[in-house]
Amino acid sequence: MTVAVILALYAVFAAVLLPRVLGRVGWTDRAPRLAIAMWQAASASVVASALLAAFAVAVPASVVGHGLAGLFEACAMLLNDGATLSTTSTRVGLTVGGLLLARLAYMGGAVLFGARRERRRHADALALLGRHDVDLGAMVVDYEQRLAYCLPGRNGHAVITTGALRSLAPEQVAAVLAHEQAHLNGRHHLVLAAADTLTRAFPRVPLFARARTEIIRLVELLADDVAARRHPRIHIAAALVQLATGKVPAFALGAGGATALARVRRMLGPQAPLDRRERLAGLLAVTLLLAGPVTLAMVPGVSAFLAHHCHSLLGL
């Protein structure tokens, strides 16, 4: 029970305090991929802590300590033995854990299938209004507003308007389409879907709201960095200036948007990448966030396992 309390307290305090702590990290713009992993790990640690706390309440440590086979046997007993199931701690643990999982599954399905439905409708409209340009490797739409975005999914592709083509130089077009291709190759829509799921499932949790905001920004920085491997940063910056005011569909990923001007400054004044020590520190933080709750939850079971087998050996 002590471990369950600690895990529950960690989930509460981490959900409130981690946004402030991680928000002060100064290297995120220099390593957006690692920063995305850090925010994801922080969110996962809160969810895992809540679920493991419920599990620790429902299943005694002594049961876990008797091994995997014993655990399955205990679960069967819990399902078949009404007297055991009627204990308050077991009922509370199973109810809370089940509700959390059901909420996550429902919202995850709503986010994924809702976005897929909207993308399919948009793709049908593009098939009527646009044309595929083989040289560009993108769908071209006759539209005056300067837009460039990607439509992710199984048959994902980049989209650019004629307004953008008229405003951008050919090398700028190539750079911005490389940005969109980075979104598609990296499956960034799934990263954003995971963040959306948590904010919709638990809208009042500060960590999930801040993580979503940061991840939206960081995936754009990451796509900029991938594009900059093949194209001069000045071309990316110039394209972002032209596309800054464009508004892409909510279910798409676009090169412009609210973060465009800040990204222009980043492209024109690049910072040094993380050195080995900084990168190791970031990886350690991600590892601790992911492994910490699981390790803590295992302590009672491991202790019970050792006590049980040591007692058996001594008995021999």
Side-chain angles (χ1 to χ4, degrees):
M1 185 63 72
T2 301
V3 169
V5 172
I6 294 174
L7 286 168
L9 289 175
Y10 168 80
V12 173
F13 282 102
V16 176
L17 297 179
L18 275 183
R20 303 176 189 177
V21 175
L22 299 183
R24 296 192 183 100
V25 175
W27 51 260
T28 55
D29 286 8
R30 296 162 58 197
R33 191 188 303 276
L34 181 57
I36 291 170
M38 181 181 67
W39 284 103
Q40 289 178 317
S43 299
S45 73
V46 170
V47 175
S49 295
L51 290 173
L52 289 170
F55 178 81
V57 170
V59 182
S62 58
V63 173
V64 180
H66 289 164
L68 189 61
L71 178 60
F72 287 139
E73 181 180 352
C75 290
M77 290 175 62
L78 288 175
L79 293 175
N80 295 323
D81 188 348
T84 303
L85 187 60
S86 65
T87 62
T88 302
S89 61
T90 300
R91 292 169 59 189
V92 170
L94 293 177
T95 300
V96 171
L99 288 175
L100 288 175
L101 287 174
R103 180 74 172 170
L104 285 171
Y106 175 78
M107 285 301 175
V111 168
L112 290 174
F113 289 109
R116 181 181 179 184
R117 182 173 58 252
E118 293 298 326
R119 289 197 300 266
R120 184 177 298 172
R121 291 175 181 172
H122 193 72
D124 291 341
L126 289 178
L128 297 175
L129 301 175
R131 67 183 188 280
H132 182 73
D133 190 302
V134 177
D135 294 331
L136 293 177
M139 182 75 71
V140 177
V141 180
D142 189 9
Y143 189 49
E144 288 301 316
Q145 189 173 357
R146 297 189 296 269
L147 294 176
Y149 60 94
C150 67
L151 198 64
R154 182 177 300 177
N155 298 315
H157 53 270
V159 180
I160 191 167
T161 63
T162 52
L165 290 175
R166 284 192 291 267
S167 300
L168 301 177
E171 59 272 16
Q172 295 167 359
V173 172
V176 78
L177 290 179
H179 171 101
E180 301 306 334
Q181 193 60 46
H183 281 315
L184 294 173
N185 294 340
R187 297 186 180 276
H188 293 166
H189 66 293
L190 297 179
V191 176
L192 296 177
D196 285 340
T197 296
L198 290 176
T199 54
R200 289 182 61 178
F202 311 105
R204 296 184 180 180
V205 177
L207 173 61
F208 298 157
R210 180 65 182 273
R212 180 181 180 274
T213 300
E214 289 297 318
I215 289 174
I216 289 173
R217 182 181 68 88
L218 289 166
V219 295
E220 295 300 333
L221 302 189
L222 179 56
D224 287 342
D225 289 348
V226 173
R229 297 173 188 169
R230 297 171 48 198
H231 301 275
R233 301 175 78 91
I234 186 65
H235 293 164
I236 300 173
L240 289 175
V241 171
Q242 294 292 333
L243 300 172
T245 59
K247 294 183 179 181
V248 302
F251 49 84
L253 293 165
T259 64
L261 295 181
R263 287 158 50 209
V264 169
R265 290 193 292 269
R266 180 175 178 269
M267 284 288 102
L268 296 178
Q271 296 178 300
L274 299 184
D275 58 32
R276 180 177 297 179
R277 181 181 301 177
E278 291 172 319
R279 187 166 294 277
L280 286 176
L283 291 172
L284 178 61
V286 171
T287 301
L288 289 175
L289 286 168
L290 290 175
V294 177
T295 302
L296 181 60
M298 290 175 61
V299 168
V302 172
S303 299
F305 174 82
L306 293 175
H308 173 74
H309 285 275
C310 287
H311 178 74
S312 300
L313 291 174
L314 290 173
L316 293 175

